[in-house]
Every structure is written in structure tokens, then in C-alpha cells.
């Protein structure tokens, strides 16, 4: 079987005496040269390993299950190399073995989810804009679309409220993940283990209203799971109330859609109403990205 990864590049290794070795003993110079050669060999082996992994993934993406022997023949690789790579991919969550009379291998949903994330990143803003415009028209408040970027949420798009007094959010803005409605909404799609890991890094106070107790924030994220949206009452900026719902595709929270409003215009009734509207908008955007099709 042919593959676009059949050719394995080689790395050229210089055998020149490394700089800074002049004046050293012969043994020291030989050791320096050997170390440089060793680093080149390790780099070369690393490239080969990555290419082997990509070839195995490419073969596993074809229809049907496949065994180690067949993989080795198709890729013209030693069975031992294929077996080691499969175990590495299994440990990373990319490949899974299917037990039977003969053990065979297949891809896990992780590859599909990665593709969904990539597609979502390309199409998200275009697909979300009609829903965002509808929300702004109905609520007359600021509507924004954000994704997780490190320990923050990054604002991809924002439609400002037409009202003179409004919450100010702009594209490109970076907002602390744990102190934002969009961040907490997206965290509600994570597992307990993942949430606990990020909470263990510590909580920073940005206003007197920021949640700085781990159990309290964990409970707020649990509540977001129940409601389908998260609420942020002045946790990042005083005077600003935020509500957001996660956009979930193939089980992955790819983005959050939120509404920000001056706190004096928010009430318990509006919070429930806006939350329900955001959940519907998030589902519509997810459908546009392929969820449920």
C-alpha cells in the first residue's frame, strides 16, 4: 500500500568540532563531537517516529479494523515498530484495540473531535453571527462569542448594545477564564477531573465579587451544567453582569456565546429569560457546525 508519508527525510549532522572546544584536551573535543552526533541521531529518530505515527493514523482512518501484521505489511515496517507506535497512540487516546480471536485496531473519536474543532474554528464566526444579531435585537444588550485560549477566554466577535449605557466588550479582548461567564460555561462541559485540575492552580480576585473559594466556584460550574448556562455577577468587572451558554459539538465545548449588561438592568426574571435564549442560540450554532446532523 502506498502512503503520502512513504519517504523518510534524513537530517544532516555536521562533524565539525563544536565551537568553544579549542584548547581542550583531545578527549574533551571527542566527547563534544560525540554529543553533537548523538543529538543529531536523536532528532532524526524523533522525525522518523512522528512520521511513523502519522502513517499509522492515516492507515487506521481507512474503513474497517486492521491488525498489527496487516499494518506492518501495508506500511512496510517491522511489526515491533508498529506495535510500539500503536501502544503510544493508545496511551495518547488516539487508537483503541478491539479484542477478538485476533486483536485489531481502530481510531478513537478523538480524531473526529479534533476535526470538528478545526472545522468549528473555520466556520464558527460566520455561522454564529445570525444568532448573535437576533439576540442583540431581542435583548438590546451586548452579545459576544468567545473561545478558550490558555487560562483566558478570547473574544472572537462582539455586537455592542445600541443603548447609551452598555457593557463594553471588543473582539480580541482576553478575559480570565475562571472569572467570566463564557469561561465558566465552557468549563461546565469539562470533566470533574479537568475542572479540578484548573481550579487547583488558584483563584484570583479581580473585583470584590470574584469567587475565590474553590468549592463555591465548583458549585457554580455544577449549576451551569444543570441550567445549560453560566451566570457571572460582577466577578470580572464591577457593574457588569454576564450570562453565557456553551456551544457543544461532538461532546466538545468549542465556544461560548454570552450577553453582558450593566448590573442595574439585570433582574432574576431577565437572567432566566436571557439564559434560555442563549441556550437556544448555542444549540442553533452547534447545529450549523454539524451537531446532530
Amino acid at each position: 500500500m502506498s502512503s503520502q508519508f512513504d519517504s523518510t527525510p534524513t537530517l544532516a549532522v555536521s562533524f565539525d568540532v563544536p565551537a568553544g572546544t579549542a584548547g581542550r584536551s583531545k578527549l574533551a573535543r571527542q566527547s563534544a563531537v560525540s554529543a553533537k552526533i548523538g543529538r543529531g541521531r536523536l532528532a532524526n529518530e524523533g522525525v522518523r517516529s512522528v512520521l511513523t505515527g502519522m502513517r499509522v493514523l492515516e492507515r487506521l482512518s481507512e474503513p474497517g479494523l486492521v491488525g498489527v501484521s496487516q499494518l506492518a505489511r501495508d506500511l512496510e515496517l517491522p511489526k515491533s515498530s508498529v506495535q510500539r507506535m500503536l501502544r503510544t497512540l493508545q496511551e495518547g487516546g488516539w487508537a483503541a484495540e478491539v479484542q477478538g480471536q485476533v486483536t485489531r485496531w481502530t481510531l478513537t473519536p478523538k480524531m473526529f473531535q479534533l476535526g470538528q474543532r478545526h472545522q468549528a474554528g473555520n466556520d464558527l464566526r460566520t455561522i454564529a453571527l445570525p444568532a448573535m444579531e437576533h439576540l442583540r435585537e431581542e435583548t438590546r444588550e451586548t452579545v459576544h462569542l468567545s473561545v478558550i485560549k490558555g487560562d483566558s477566554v478570547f473574544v472572537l466577535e462582539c455586537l455592542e448594545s445600541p443603548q447609551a449605557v452598555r457593557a463594553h466588550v471588543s473582539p480580541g479582548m482576553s478575559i480570565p477564564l475562571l472569572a467570566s461567564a463564557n469561561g465558566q460555561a465552557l468549563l461546565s462541559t469539562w470533566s470533574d477531573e479537568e475542572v479540578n485540575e484548573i481550579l487547583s492552580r488558584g483563584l484570583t480576585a479581580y473585583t470584590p465579587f470574584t469567587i475565590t473559594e474553590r468549592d463555591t466556584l465548583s458549585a457554580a460550574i455544577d449549576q451551569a451544567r444543570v441550567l445549560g448556562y453560566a451566570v457571572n455577577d460582577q466577578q470580572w468587572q464591577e457593574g457588569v453582569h454576564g450570562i453565557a451558554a456553551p456551544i457543544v459539538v461532538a461532546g466538545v465545548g468549542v465556544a461560548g456565546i454570552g450577553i453582558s449588561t450593566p448590573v442595574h438592568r439585570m433582574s432574576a426574571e431577565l437572567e432566566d429569560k436571557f439564559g434560555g435564549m442563549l441556550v437556544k442560540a448555542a444549540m442553533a450554532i452547534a447545529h450549523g457546525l454539524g451537531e446532530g446532523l
Side-chain angles (χ1 to χ4, degrees), residues 18-253:
T21 60
R24 294 191 196 176
S25 67
K26 181 178 180 181
L27 179 59
R29 293 198 301 273
Q30 288 176 337
S31 296
V33 172
S34 296
K36 188 173 183 182
I37 293 171
R39 288 194 296 270
R41 286 174 177 167
L42 286 174
N44 198 17
E45 290 171 3
V47 171
R48 285 199 297 269
S49 180
V50 170
L51 290 176
T52 297
M54 294 172 71
R55 293 177 65 196
V56 171
L57 285 173
E58 184 184 55
R59 177 62 182 86
L60 290 178
S61 69
E62 296 180 8
L65 306 176
V66 63
V68 175
S69 297
Q70 186 62 53
L71 266 172
R73 286 194 295 271
D74 289 347
L75 302 179
E76 298 180 352
L77 292 170
K79 284 180 62 176
S80 59
S81 297
V82 172
Q83 185 70 47
R84 284 195 301 272
M85 183 53 63
L86 286 169
R87 292 299 177 192
T88 299
L89 293 171
Q90 182 183 42
E91 184 176 349
W94 297 97
E97 56 183 329
V98 180
Q99 298 291 345
Q101 289 185 341
V102 177
T103 299
R104 299 182 185 279
W105 290 82
T106 187
L107 290 179
T108 68
K110 190 170 184 177
M111 182 65 75
F112 171 74
Q113 292 170 355
L114 185 66
Q116 287 283 8
R117 285 183 180 181
H118 174 73
Q119 185 66 23
N122 288 339
D123 299 341
L124 180 57
R125 181 181 174 277
T126 300
I127 291 172
L129 271 173
M132 294 177 67
E133 290 168 351
H134 177 73
L135 280 172
R136 181 175 61 172
E137 182 179 343
E138 291 294 310
T139 66
R140 292 179 53 79
E141 299 294 355
T142 298
V143 180
H144 39 83
L145 180 74
S146 303
V147 295
I148 290 181
K149 191 173 182 180
D151 289 336
S152 303
V153 288
F154 179 81
V155 180
L156 288 178
E157 184 58 89
C158 177
L159 303 180
E160 284 201 332
S161 165
Q163 303 187 70
V165 179
R166 57 184 181 268
H168 291 280
V169 182
S170 59
M173 181 179 286
S174 185
I175 304 171
L177 177 66
L178 298 179
S180 69
N182 271 307
Q184 292 174 23
L186 284 166
L187 287 174
S188 74
T189 69
W190 292 17
S191 68
D192 288 338
E193 292 76 13
E194 291 171 320
V195 171
N196 288 333
E197 192 280 327
I198 198 165
L199 293 184
S200 69
R201 302 176 192 173
L203 306 178
T204 302
Y206 299 95
T207 75
F209 304 96
T210 305
I211 299 175
T212 56
E213 295 180 359
R214 181 171 170 175
D215 289 345
T216 304
L217 186 52
S218 180
I221 293 169
D222 286 339
Q223 181 71 2
R225 289 174 176 149
V226 174
L227 296 175
Y229 60 88
V231 174
N232 182 321
D233 187 6
Q234 308 182 79
Q235 293 178 42
W236 179 52
Q237 289 182 322
E238 287 191 65
V240 177
H241 190 98
I243 309 170
I247 300 167
V248 181
V249 179
V252 178

Side-chain angles (χ1 to χ4, degrees), residues 269-286:
E269 293 75 19
L270 270 183
E271 189 176 280
D272 290 341
K273 179 181 178 180
F274 287 3
M277 294 171 69
L278 284 166
V279 169
K280 290 180 180 178
M283 292 175 65
I285 295 167

